[in-house]
Every structure is written in structure tokens, then in C-alpha cells.
């Protein structure tokens, strides 16, 4: 009886151990199947992607140059605008040949030094950008540049721009150099004040002071008077002595007085006679002089 009990326990133990082994083996098999399945899925995805990539063609380059229509100036009705000379009627017909093109970003910026040919979106040459105009590129495609001009997209060949423009950085360098040269010139022409400069010693001999330098001689006084009268439009006519009225007067020798006499008489000549007729001719003769004045008899008409 005792032996049979022990045997029963032994059998149960064996059965239990055997069951655990089967379960572990089953789990292992299931895990391996899952890994293989995942690998197959990834492989299938890779093959599908390669197939799609190989079937999708890369975008073709658009041959813009073959669609460009060149026009001469005689064929265009050119008009002048703020920044260009162009014929805007050429934009009315044709397809947008630049529309399907993807322009690459660029930071190019130019200032024109001569006129640059420009083209409309339909590829027709429409005129020129003026000289000294900023061209800030919105994008480039091969040899073509897109930019804004007076609120409209315009197109030009990069080679044309580079041949007839300088970059803004080059322009700024030129301005900076010009300002530097101007500043240097100003500094040379206007040296710092209050810097003592040794002057060479030059011997001078004072000229004798001219007597009565504030007065004209009689001849000088009448010459000044006559020249100012003639400069005012009055004609010198000695024949008046025999045909017109006359009067006597004097011209002070003090400098400034012959000028005053001429100015006053020109106003009187403009008024003329009581009938409103201006006097246009005069003649005078010197009758004498002293240290203060020269005396004359004058005719006018």
C-alpha cells in the first residue's frame, strides 16, 4: 500500500513536467512565426516602394529658350514707365510658359548700368528695364530670372542682367569709396583749425597813400556817370546840342555820388516829358569843377 502511493505521486510529477515543456515549445514556435511574418511584411513594403519609385518619372526640364519670341524695337509699341520702356500689349496673347516652372530661391540683387531686355510671361520680348534700376531676383531657373517690376512679374536672362548690371554689394562698395574720397578731400581742403603754421617772411614796402582816395577825379566822375546812363539804355547823341532843351547841374566827386546821379536821372528819363514820352538820348559838356564837384550842361530828348 505504501509503495503504490509513492508511485502515484511520481506519475503526477512526470505528467506536470511534461505539460510545461510542451507549452514552452509551443510559445517558441508561435514567436518565431510572428518574427518571420513581420520580416515578410517589411520586405513586401520595401519591394512595393522600389516598384513605385521606379515607375514614377522625374520631372522633365522645361526648354524655355525654345518658346521665346524675340521682337525688334520696330515691332513693339514701346512706352516709357517708371522703371522700364515696354509694350504691355504683348501680354494679351499666349500661354504662361513660366507658370509650370519651379524657380529656385536666390538672394541675387542687381542695379542696372544699361538697359536689360525683359520678357512677358508668355515668352514674348516686351522691352527693357531702364538704367539705374534695382532688380531683386524672386527666383532663378537655368539661365532665367524672375523679378518684380512696377508690381508685375517680369523675366530676363541672367546673362543679360550680368552683362548690363552690377550687384548691389558692388554698388554699395562704389558709393562707400566715393564717400571716403569726398571725406578725404574735405579734410585736405579744410585742415584742422588753430594749428599754427609757420609763414615765410616776406619783406613789404608800404605804398604811398593816394590823396583823396574816397573821391573821383572830375574826369573819372563824368566817365562813371556817362557809362551808367548808357548801360541803362540812354543813347549818347551830341546832335542834341542844337535841337533840344538843356539844363545845368553838377556831379559830386565823392565816390558813390556819380552812381547815385545816374540812377536818379534814369528814373527821370523813364518818366520823360509831361506828355508821357520817355527820354532816350542825352549829351553833356563839362563847364568846370572844384574839389567837391564837376559842373555840366546837359541836353536830353
Amino acid at each position: 500500500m505504501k509503495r503504490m502511493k509513492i508511485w502515484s505521486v511520481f506519475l503526477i510529477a512526470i505528467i506536470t513536467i511534461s505539460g510545461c515543456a510542451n507549452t514552452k515549445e509551443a510559445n517558441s514556435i508561435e514567436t518565431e512565426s510572428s518574427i518571420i511574418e513581420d520580416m515578410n511584411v517589411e520586405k513586401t513594403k520595401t519591394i512595393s516602394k522600389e516598384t513605385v519609385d521606379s515607375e514614377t518619372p522625374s520631372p522633365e526640364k522645361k526648354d524655355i529658350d525654345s518658346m521665346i519670341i524675340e521682337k525688334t524695337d520696330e515691332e513693339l509699341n514701346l512706352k516709357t514707365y517708371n522703371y522700364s520702356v515696354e509694350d504691355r500689349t504683348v501680354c494679351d496673347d499666349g500661354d504662361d510658359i513660366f507658370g509650370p516652372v519651379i524657380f529656385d530661391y536666390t538672394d541675387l540683387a542687381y542695379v542696372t548700368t544699361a538697359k536689360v531686355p525683359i520678357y512677358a510671361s508668355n515668352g514674348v520680348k516686351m522691352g527693357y528695364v531702364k538704367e539705374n534700376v534695382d532688380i531683386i531676383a524672386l527666383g532663378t531657373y537655368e539661365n532665367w530670372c524672375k523679378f518684380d517690376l512696377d508690381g508685375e512679374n517680369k523675366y530676363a536672362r541672367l546673362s543679360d542682367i550680368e552683362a548690363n548690371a552690377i550687384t548691389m554689394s558692388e554698388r554699395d562698395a562704389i558709393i562707400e569709396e566715393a564717400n571716403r574720397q569726398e571725406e578725404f578731400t574735405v579734410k585736405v581742403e579744410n585742415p584742422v583749425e588753430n594749428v599754427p603754421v609757420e609763414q615765410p617772411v616776406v619783406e613789404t614796402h608800404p605804398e604811398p597813400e593816394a590823396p583823396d582816395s574816397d573821391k573821383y577825379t572830375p574826369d573819372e566822375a563824368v566817365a562813371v556817370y556817362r557809362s551808367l546812363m548808357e548801360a541803362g539804355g540812354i543813347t549818347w547823341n551830341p546832335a542834341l546840342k542844337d535841337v533840344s532843351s538843356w539844363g545845368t547841374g553838377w556831379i559830386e566827386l565823392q565816390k558813390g555820388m556819380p552812381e547815385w546821379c545816374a540812377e536818379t536821372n534814369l528814373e527821370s528819363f523813364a518818366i520823360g516829358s509831361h506828355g508821357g514820352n520817355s527820354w532816350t538820348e542825352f549829351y553833356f559838356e563839362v563847364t568846370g569843377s572844384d574839389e567837391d564837384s564837376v559842373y555840366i550842361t546837359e541836353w536830353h530828348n
Side-chain angles (χ1 to χ4, degrees):
M1 200 55 191
K2 183 177 181 181
R3 289 179 63 186
M4 289 184 65
K5 184 177 182 180
I6 294 171
W7 177 249
S8 299
V9 172
F10 181 71
L11 285 175
I12 293 171
I14 289 174
I15 292 170
T16 304
I17 294 171
S18 176
C20 289
N22 290 337
T23 301
K24 182 177 181 180
E25 183 178 357
N27 289 337
S28 176
I29 291 171
E30 183 179 351
T31 302
E32 289 179 3
S33 298
S34 177
I35 293 172
I36 291 171
E37 184 178 352
D38 290 342
M39 291 175 63
N40 289 336
V41 170
E42 290 298 326
K43 185 175 181 180
T44 302
K45 289 181 179 179
T46 303
I47 293 172
S48 298
K49 183 176 185 303
E50 290 177 353
T51 302
V52 171
D53 290 345
S54 63
E55 291 177 355
T56 303
S58 58
E60 295 183 2
K61 292 276 187 179
K62 197 171 182 67
D63 186 7
I64 297 295
D65 290 331
S66 65
M67 294 180 280
I68 294 298
I69 301 174
E70 299 289 352
K71 285 184 175 288
T72 64
D73 293 354
E74 289 72 20
E75 295 175 297
L76 296 171
N77 182 21
L78 294 174
K79 294 183 179 180
T80 301
Y81 298 92
N82 290 334
Y83 310 107
S84 62
V85 178
E86 56 185 276
D87 180 357
R88 294 185 175 177
T89 62
V90 303
C91 303
D92 298 339
D93 300 321
D95 298 328
D96 183 359
I97 67 171
F98 293 97
V101 172
I102 298 176
F103 283 82
D104 297 326
Y105 170 78
T106 180
D107 59 355
L108 295 175
Y110 300 90
V111 179
T112 58
T113 56
K115 61 183 185 180
V116 176
I118 53 175
Y119 297 79
S121 60
N122 57 7
V124 180
K125 180 183 176 183
M126 61 188 307
Y128 306 90
V129 180
K130 290 181 180 179
E131 183 179 345
N132 199 29
V133 173
D134 294 349
I135 293 180
I136 301 176
L138 301 176
T140 59
Y141 177 80
E142 295 186 338
N143 188 35
W144 287 93
C145 175
K146 178 171 72 172
F147 56 96
D148 178 87
L149 189 68
D150 210 7
E152 298 285 344
N153 283 342
K154 295 295 189 298
Y155 304 87
R157 291 185 177 90
L158 274 174
S159 54
D160 287 338
I161 296 175
E162 292 171 351
N164 298 284
I166 58 176
T167 64
M168 284 192 176
S169 57
E170 290 173 331
R171 189 268 310 272
D172 293 342
I174 292 172
I175 293 175
E176 183 178 352
E177 177 63 18
N179 290 338
R180 190 185 68 81
Q181 291 291 344
E182 182 179 357
E183 182 179 356
F184 175 77
T185 303
V186 170
K187 286 183 178 179
V188 171
E189 292 179 351
N190 301 286
V192 179
E193 296 181 359
N194 301 324
V195 175
V197 178
E198 185 176 353
Q199 299 292 340
V201 177
V202 179
E203 292 186 5
T204 59
H205 301 282
E207 296 181 0
E209 185 176 341
D212 296 329
S213 58
D214 60 341
K215 289 184 178 182
Y216 290 118
T217 65
D219 290 340
E220 291 172 340
V222 295
V224 169
Y225 171 72
R226 175 179 172 178
S227 65
L228 291 176
M229 290 291 289
E230 291 181 320
I234 309 303
T235 302
W236 178 261
N237 184 6
L240 293 177
K241 184 177 180 179
D242 300 324
V243 297
S244 67
S245 60
W246 53 272
T248 59
W250 67 91
I251 302 172
E252 294 186 23
L253 301 181
Q254 185 73 29
K255 289 184 176 179
M257 293 307 295
E259 292 87 346
W260 177 84
C261 287
E263 181 181 355
T264 302
N265 281 357
L266 285 173
E267 293 176 357
S268 298
F269 274 54
I271 297 172
S273 64
H274 295 295
N277 297 318
S278 299
W279 297 325
T280 59
E281 298 177 321
F282 81 118
Y283 173 71
F284 65 82
E285 292 180 352
V286 176
T287 58
S289 65
D290 55 29
E291 60 181 10
D292 294 321
S293 303
V294 59
Y295 300 94
I296 63 172
T297 298
E298 183 174 281
W299 293 263
H300 55 260
N301 185 29

